[in-house]
Amino acid sequence: MAFQGLVPLEVPVVPDGGQGREWAERELSRSVYQDAKPGLIERFWQWVREFFADLLDGLTGVDPSLGVLLIAVGAAAVLAVSIVLVRPRLNARRRKELFDAGEQRVAVDHRRLSEEAAARGEWDTALTERLRALIRTAEERVILDPQAGRTAAEAGQALAGSFPAAAPEIRWLARRFDEVRYGHLLATSVDAERARDLDLMLERSAPAATAAPARTLAVPR
């Protein structure tokens, strides 16, 4: 009996042994995998070769349809493992910038956001916005030069040089910023209060004096 008006369904393509290995090699040849740690990729490639060699050797005498299914499952497993291996490497390479792209807020704006977040008990935002307020204040006081794309660690290191007495606290806050914003660790009320105290202290402090340029005295004749 003819059924008119029905759209034929596409049958999924199931790879044979050679195709499964080729698909895995093609996927792993992409630049995103090649940019990962070389030693890890080389070991993984060796594991892929041995995996498919053992799999194909074990298919002798196995029903063809079952063998094709095992190869397809094996290829999918290889791709899944490759993604798991490469993803942490890609995340680590992401630059941990202090300010979001296009951020235009001034110090008072970041300080207000920090205080409002603290009032709501949102300690992560209270801490991260406090460091941003602290760095913007240093830029507005011409202690630091504005620099796009600067990380929290870079900003903290630069500011610590201008306030050596507070350097340990500045570096602590920069480190906590990265842990909270990029490491998914939670800030606490104690962290937020400690960051606030540091901000207030630096506002009342003068940066370390730099050596004044030597002057040439005119000697009367």
Side-chain angles (χ1 to χ4, degrees), residues 4 21 25 43 45 56 60 65 70 86-87 98 110 124 127 142 162 167 173 176 185-186 195 198-199 203:
Q4 298 183 5
R21 182 164 52 247
E25 292 178 352
R43 292 195 297 272
W45 267 113
L56 293 175
T60 303
S65 59
L70 291 175
V86 172
R87 182 177 296 171
L98 174 59
H110 290 293
D124 289 358
L127 182 138
V142 200
S162 298
L173 182 53
R176 287 296 287 142
L185 299 181
L186 298 178
L198 174 62
D199 184 23
E203 276 195 293

Side-chain angles (χ1 to χ4, degrees), residues 138-162:
E139 293 174 353
E140 292 166 8
R141 294 174 63 187
V142 200
I143 297 172
L144 295 181
D145 293 329
Q147 180 180 324
R150 181 158 46 194
T151 66
E154 292 168 347
Q157 185 65 27
L159 191 61
S162 298

Side-chain angles (χ1 to χ4, degrees), residues 99 114 120-121 164 173 221:
F99 296 101
S114 177
R120 297 190 300 268
L173 182 53
R221 296 181 180 178

Side-chain angles (χ1 to χ4, degrees), residues 52-182:
F52 276 102
D54 294 341
L55 183 61
L56 293 175
D57 290 342
L59 292 180
T60 303
V62 176
D63 180 81
S65 59
L66 177 59
V68 170
L69 178 60
L70 291 175
I71 291 174
V73 172
V78 168
L79 295 180
V81 171
S82 65
I83 292 172
V84 170
L85 289 175
V86 172
R87 182 177 296 171
R89 176 70 175 176
L90 297 179
N91 291 338
R93 290 170 58 188
R94 184 176 58 170
R95 187 170 175 81
K96 302 175 181 178
E97 296 183 0
L98 174 59
F99 296 101
D100 296 330
E103 179 62 73
Q104 298 295 327
R105 291 189 179 96
V106 296
V108 67
D109 295 330
H110 290 293
R111 194 166 286 113
R112 173 179 51 78
L113 290 174
S114 177
E115 293 172 353
E116 291 175 351
R120 297 190 300 268
E122 298 174 0
W123 309 121
D124 289 358
T125 301
L127 182 138
T128 55
E129 290 298 331
R130 185 64 65 171
L131 177 60
R132 288 167 171 165
L134 194 150
I135 298 301
R136 281 291 191 234
T137 298
E139 293 174 353
E140 292 166 8
R141 294 174 63 187
V142 200
I143 297 172
L144 295 181
D145 293 329
Q147 180 180 324
R150 181 158 46 194
T151 66
E154 292 168 347
Q157 185 65 27
L159 191 61
S162 298
F163 295 95
E169 286 296 285
I170 295 172
R171 295 193 184 99
W172 164 81
L173 182 53
R175 183 174 63 254
R176 287 296 287 142
F177 178 96
D178 283 343
E179 290 173 348
V180 170
R181 180 164 175 78
Y182 295 103

